[in-house]
């Protein structure tokens, strides 16, 4: 049973460029989440999918951010026209919707640096 | 208002000793869950332990236990017999509306634990 996989692990880009991150959840997990973590802070929720439907979006998810989960399996998070303030660790998590607990299991994250 | 407060930026403990990491939370929702995660330097958030607001007993998972005091709104993590591999950041998190389908976890700012030989 492999864990949540995120690619790339590190991304360095210039301001104004577009970037895309990929997340592969634990197989059979129907829920997938994106969080952002800046230095010295805990993760902040961005968005969540149940299967292919995007059910919750944070106000942090500006119109430059778009997330998709087209077939209910892997997900992509795209940031258009990156800004220096987008520099952060982007964490993906997945869970299986059984019972109330619904533990979210995280990947190792993609660290984005915008120069 | 801060929903999750972790007041200890850093904690030091010697190997084999027990350590308590503090977490207080703020919610008016009667149905919520509390979670603790460990984040080593590699970056991955590792789930440790869960406590539901309606659970009568304090949660335990191996060397981890959760000291849940509902009236004080605290959910402290106790690690018994610390090991060198326990050195990491520890985050407390809460999910409100457990029976309404909300999924967002709200995290505290974390506590860095250093275990010395």
């Amino acid at each position: 049973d492999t864990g949540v996989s995120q690619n790339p692990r590190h991304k360095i880009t210039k301001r104004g460029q577009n970037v895309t991150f990929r997340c592969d959840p634990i197989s059979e997990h129907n829920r997938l989440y994106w969080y952002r973590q800046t230095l010295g802070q805990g993760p902040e929720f961005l968005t969540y999918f149940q299967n292919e439907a995007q059910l919750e979006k944070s106000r942090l998810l500006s119109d430059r951010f778009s997330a998709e989960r087209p077939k209910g399996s892997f997900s992509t998070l795209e940031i258009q026209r990156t800004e220096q303030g987008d520099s952060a660790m982007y964490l993906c998590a997945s869970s299986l919707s059984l019972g109330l607990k619904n533990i979210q299991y995280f990947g190792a994250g993609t660290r984005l640096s915008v120069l | 208002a801060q929903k999750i407060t972790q007041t200890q930026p850093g904690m030091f403990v010697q190997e084999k000793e027990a350590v308590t990491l503090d977490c207080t939370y703020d919610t008016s929702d009667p149905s919520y869950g509390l979670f603790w995660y460990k984040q080593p330097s590699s970056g991955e958030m590792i789930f440790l332990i869960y406590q539901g607001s309606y659970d009568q007993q304090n949660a335990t998972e191996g060397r981890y236990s959760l000291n849940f005091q509902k009236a004080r709104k605290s959910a402290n993590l106790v690690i018994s017999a610390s090991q060198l591999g326990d050195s990491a950041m520890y985050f407390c998190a809460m999910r409100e509306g457990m029976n309404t389908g909300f999924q967002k976890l709200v995290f505290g700012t974390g506590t860095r634990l250093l275990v010395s030989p």
Side-chain angles (χ1 to χ4, degrees):
Chain A
D1 181 27
T2 57
V4 177
S5 175
Q6 291 189 247
N7 287 289
R9 291 294 314 276
H10 303 274
K11 179 72 178 177
I12 300 173
T13 191
K14 291 183 179 177
R15 192 176 50 181
Q17 298 292 306
N18 299 345
V19 294
T20 301
F21 312 138
R22 177 179 169 126
C23 172
D24 288 90
I26 294 170
S27 61
E28 297 175 1
H29 277 193
N30 59 337
R31 290 178 172 164
L32 187 146
Y33 313 80
W34 287 99
Y35 290 81
R36 182 173 72 184
Q37 186 178 21
T38 52
L39 213 57
Q41 301 296 318
E44 296 173 291
F45 173 81
L46 291 178
T47 190
Y48 137 69
F49 292 84
Q50 177 148 317
N51 300 312
E52 63 274 8
Q54 190 172 16
L55 296 185
E56 275 185 75
K57 283 170 68 170
S58 162
R59 286 172 299 172
L60 291 175
L61 212 67
S62 76
D63 54 9
R64 295 185 299 106
F65 288 68
S66 63
E68 293 183 344
R69 195 183 184 200
K71 295 182 182 177
S73 57
F74 73 91
S75 175
T76 57
L77 177 69
E78 181 184 16
I79 309 174
Q80 295 183 323
R81 306 180 304 280
T82 52
E83 302 172 355
Q84 287 185 326
D86 297 331
S87 295
M89 174 81 91
Y90 290 84
L91 293 163
C92 176
S94 70
S95 71
L96 188 60
S97 56
L98 279 180
L100 287 180
K101 248 186 183 181
N102 192 30
I103 305 299
Q104 296 180 26
Y105 295 94
F106 284 79
T110 294
R111 185 171 295 284
L112 173 66
S113 297
V114 182
L115 304 177
Chain B
Q2 194 82 344
K3 287 203 177 262
I4 296 286
T5 302
Q6 294 182 255
T7 56
Q8 306 154 315
M11 289 286 284
F12 295 89
V13 67
Q14 275 203 306
E15 206 175 0
K16 297 178 187 169
E17 289 185 350
V19 63
T20 298
L21 305 183
D22 294 343
C23 173
T24 56
Y25 59 92
D26 183 28
T27 182
S28 55
D29 192 326
S31 177
Y32 54 90
L34 296 156
F35 304 77
W36 276 92
Y37 284 86
K38 170 185 177 182
Q39 188 176 41
S41 54
S42 59
E44 183 176 355
M45 300 282 287
I46 301 167
F47 166 71
L48 297 177
I49 195 166
Y50 162 85
Q51 180 84 43
S53 59
Y54 295 121
D55 293 343
Q56 297 295 315
Q57 307 251 348
N58 284 348
T60 59
E61 291 281 352
R63 295 186 299 112
Y64 304 108
S65 60
L66 203 151
N67 184 0
F68 181 46
Q69 297 188 45
K70 198 169 178 177
R72 299 172 101 181
K73 292 188 175 177
S74 78
N76 298 339
L77 177 70
V78 180
I79 306 175
S80 63
S82 299
Q83 301 172 354
L84 295 178
D86 293 335
S87 294
M89 283 291 289
Y90 288 80
F91 290 95
C92 180
M94 176 174 65
R95 180 155 66 91
E96 296 173 295
M98 293 286 283
N99 56 359
T100 58
F102 290 116
Q103 300 300 323
K104 178 174 85 169
L105 284 176
V106 176
F107 286 83
T109 52
T111 295
R112 181 171 296 282
L113 176 67
L114 283 177
V115 182
S116 61

